[in-house]
């Protein structure tokens, strides 16, 4: 693979101190509060962000040590290809979470619905565009067979530690 170097633009702080028994997606972290401290040099880039209710965060799943191409995800007891899951042990351990934005104070963004470990390095922030990011008719493969609320009710376990 080609080497690509990214620098964190900030850090995401959350109440999740352990990889086990934490939410597996933002839908399982309703009202769970966290915040982002953006590096001060990027503060100008936040202009007009407070008009958005949700942000999509792209971050480094920094506690992943090795990848697996076949995984049994938290939501199933059968193996799937890593790219057909949201499991963290990816060749490029990048996480993607759409969270709620509640307040901005300088370089500090207050967020809710956080499903990442405390002190996760942040790579990018993108505003959520309801006009183009929603895909209400989307088909979700093996996950569609699961109970509708299962993603929000399921907690992580030891399988990707
Ligand atoms: C299933 S992944 C989904 C993350 C993101 N919402 C996504 O879809 O890319 C969420 C799990 O990744 C693990 N995790 C969270 N933050 C992490 C980090 N900084 N390093 C490694 N694993 C992490 C936790 O076990 C958490 O339950």
């Amino acid at each position: 693979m080609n080497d690509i170097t990214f620098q964190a633009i900030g850090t995401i702080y959350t109440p999740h101190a352990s990889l086990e028994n934490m939410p597996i997606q933002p839908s399982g972290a309703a009202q769970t509060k966290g915040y982002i401290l953006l590096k001060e040099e990027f503060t100008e880039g936040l202009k007009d962000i407070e008009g958005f209710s949700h942000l999509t965060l792209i971050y480094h799943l920094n506690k992943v040590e090795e990848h697996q191409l076949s995984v049994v995800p938290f939501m199933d007891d059968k193996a799937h290809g890593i790219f057909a899951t949201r499991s963290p042990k990816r060749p490029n351990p990048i996480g993607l979470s759409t969270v709620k934005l509640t307040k901005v104070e300088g370089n500090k963004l207050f967020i809710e619905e956080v499903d990442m470990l405390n002190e996760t390095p942040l790579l990018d922030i993108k505003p959520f565009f309801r006009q183009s990011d929603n895909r209400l008719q989307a088909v979700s493969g093996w996950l569609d067979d699961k109970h509708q609320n299962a993603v929000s009710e399921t907690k992580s376990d030891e399988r990707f530690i």
Side-chain angles (χ1 to χ4, degrees), residues 127-148:
F128 184 83
F129 286 177
R130 67 183 167 86
Q131 293 82 351
S132 53
D133 290 337
N134 283 323
R135 294 285 196 284
L136 299 179
Q137 307 306 323
V139 173
S140 298
W142 59 267
L143 190 60
D144 276 340
D145 293 337
K146 310 291 161 202
H147 183 266
Q148 216 178 348

Side-chain angles (χ1 to χ4, degrees), residues 18-25 68 71-77 87-89 117 153-161:
S18 158
L19 286 176
E20 260 184 280
N21 201 28
M22 59 175 282
I24 63 166
Q25 286 297 341
Q68 277 175 236
V71 293
V72 179
F74 295 130
M75 285 298 301
D76 208 350
D77 51 13
S87 302
K89 287 203 165 185
L117 197 67
E153 288 161 4
T154 304
K155 298 287 181 211
S156 62
D157 54 34
E158 75 299 330
R159 76 187 76 176
F160 300 120
I161 296 177

Side-chain angles (χ1 to χ4, degrees), residues 70-95:
S70 181
V71 293
V72 179
F74 295 130
M75 285 298 301
D76 208 350
D77 51 13
K78 296 190 189 72
H80 300 278
I82 184 73
F83 302 121
T85 78
R86 295 292 194 91
S87 302
K89 287 203 165 185
R90 328 182 69 77
N92 287 325
I94 290 172

Side-chain angles (χ1 to χ4, degrees), residues 19 22-26 59-64 74 86-88 94-97 115-117 120 156:
L19 286 176
M22 59 175 282
I24 63 166
Q25 286 297 341
Y59 49 90
H60 181 205
L61 293 159
N62 60 324
K63 299 297 180 193
V64 171
F74 295 130
R86 295 292 194 91
S87 302
I94 290 172
L96 181 84
S97 299
D115 69 330
M116 63 294 287
L117 197 67
T120 290
S156 62

